[in-house]
Amino acid sequence: MIPLRDITSYLEGLAPPSLQESYDNSGLQVGDPNLDISGILVALDASEGVLLEAEKLGFNLVLTHHPVIFGGLKSLTGRSGPERIVKMAIQKEIAIYSAHTNFDAIAGGVSTAMANRLGLVNQQILAPLSGGLLKVVVFVPHAQLEQVRQAMFKAGAGKLGEYDSCSFNLEGSGTFRGGEGSQPFAGEAGVFHQEAETRLEIIVHAELSSRVISSMLAAHPYEEVAYDIYPLENKDPRRGMGVIGRLEDPMEEEVFLGFLKDRFSASVIRHTSLRGKAVKKVAVCGGAGSFLLGKAKAAGADVFVTGDMKYHQFFEAEGQLVVMDIGHFESEQFTRELFYDLLMKKFPKFAVRLSETEKNPIKYF
Ligand SMILES: [Zn+2]
């Protein structure tokens, strides 16, 4: 048994809920965070069938990509699908947790699962997020520098891609004079003092800033700590929507269509006119990705693979690339494997299964 809280905080460490879109409702849908979890069933959507499958397995957590409570619930009478699912989950004491657009917005998320399925190399986020990074600057007496720096690193500051413990340190001197009520760590109250200090600069993901600041303040020896928090305009190459990469070996467009169909078990691919060019650069976005078509064109993609494109949106390809719509379910199906792999990495001996009853709600004739 693992407390539900441990599972959700692990997932939220990978894809912070603050990354979700404003319209979204990712997070714990049903259940007590203190519930002891016996097993996890992974699906794209929670349904009555998936809940029954979990019950049969003796599992009490269903992890989904799409939130079951999305447009809001105003009653629990069982009149609508979501109401019935939530009611059933409560009755059967099965928790439901959803990781939706926050898992779309990270490297290693939904679109990465698609890109991996196509074997794309040199993968990059198609539309990196900006505004999610801060720079924290704090002035620390030399002797306490290491303890303050380590406290901030431990709280999650100083991570840049595959690197951690990133900081910049510049020696200088600070001045201060404590008032009557002060008890200065260095010098005396009422006397002007100059102290050798280091200007310590560390990058911090915005969602970790309050944790980093409290750890920093706890480790810092001063009564009044001088520190600054700067918002950064930098794009975060590890966060954002969609993925672009290259095929190891270029393919003819028809060959690529066949390959795509096979890799995603797609019955149908709706696509714009072929251009008679080899496919090298491929952009992908899981789910409804039309909002990234412009980015895919600007990035020089030969094809853009997504789901849920509307009629008018196909015109927007404008012959600059080939849009390939494989279907919403098809494009996101490997999100289940992604969740499975991530859970196995953290809880290797725990019971985690992919739903076997879940089916694409869309059939093709
Ligand atoms: Zn979706």
Side-chain angles (χ1 to χ4, degrees), residues 157-336:
K159 291 207 170 105
L160 278 175
E162 293 300 315
Y163 294 81
D164 61 22
S165 308
C166 303
S167 72
F168 185 78
N169 306 266
L170 183 67
E171 292 189 4
S173 85
T175 67
F176 49 82
R177 183 171 66 198
E180 274 179 23
S182 68
Q183 289 179 308
F185 173 75
E188 282 171 52
V191 180
F192 180 81
H193 181 80
Q194 191 154 357
E195 180 73 19
E197 292 175 353
T198 297
R199 176 191 165 101
L200 168 62
E201 296 188 17
I202 303 189
I203 202 159
V204 179
H205 279 105
E207 78 275 1
L208 296 176
S209 66
S210 50
R211 197 165 92 189
V212 169
I213 298 294
S214 357
S215 301
M216 179 272 285
L217 291 174
H220 201 292
Y222 284 3
E223 256 186 320
E224 299 292 342
V225 178
Y227 68 97
D228 310 312
I229 303 172
Y230 299 98
L232 300 181
E233 287 300 316
N234 300 40
K235 288 194 170 148
D236 188 337
R238 304 276 162 155
R239 288 181 177 176
M241 295 294 195
V243 166
I244 187 162
R246 283 178 177 280
L247 289 173
E248 208 127 32
D249 297 306
M251 285 182 202
E252 294 305 318
E253 286 163 326
E254 283 92 346
V255 176
F256 181 77
L257 278 164
F259 173 65
L260 185 61
K261 206 168 173 178
D262 177 58
R263 294 307 283 158
F264 287 84
S265 310
S267 315
V268 171
I269 299 176
R270 300 189 304 149
H271 64 88
T272 54
S273 300
L274 301 184
R275 303 188 311 151
K277 287 188 173 178
V279 178
K280 286 178 233 150
K281 244 183 175 182
V282 179
V284 298
C285 179
S290 62
F291 66 100
L292 284 180
L293 178 51
K295 295 273 183 201
K297 287 199 287 187
D302 299 305
V303 300
F304 178 46
V305 182
T306 188
D308 268 353
M309 292 286 292
K310 291 184 183 161
Y311 173 76
H312 292 284
Q313 293 164 340
F314 280 88
F315 286 102
E316 293 165 25
E318 291 175 321
Q320 291 176 46
L321 46 57
V322 184
V323 171
M324 299 183 181
D325 180 341
I326 57 174
H328 195 122
F329 181 92
E330 288 82 350
S331 73
E332 288 183 338
Q333 58 190 309
F334 299 108
T335 306
R336 296 177 300 191

Side-chain angles (χ1 to χ4, degrees), residues 62-111:
V62 168
L63 169 63
T64 70
H65 181 47
H66 297 132
V68 62
I69 305 175
F70 195 60
L73 283 182
K74 292 200 169 165
S75 58
L76 265 183
T77 59
R79 202 170 31 194
S80 68
E83 285 182 28
R84 280 194 295 281
I85 293 160
V86 169
K87 214 167 135 222
M88 186 192 255
I90 294 169
Q91 280 165 348
K92 295 189 182 297
E93 286 192 84
I94 297 175
I96 303 176
Y97 183 87
S98 306
H100 189 211
T101 51
N102 48 330
F103 253 88
D104 289 324
I106 53 163
V110 177
S111 295

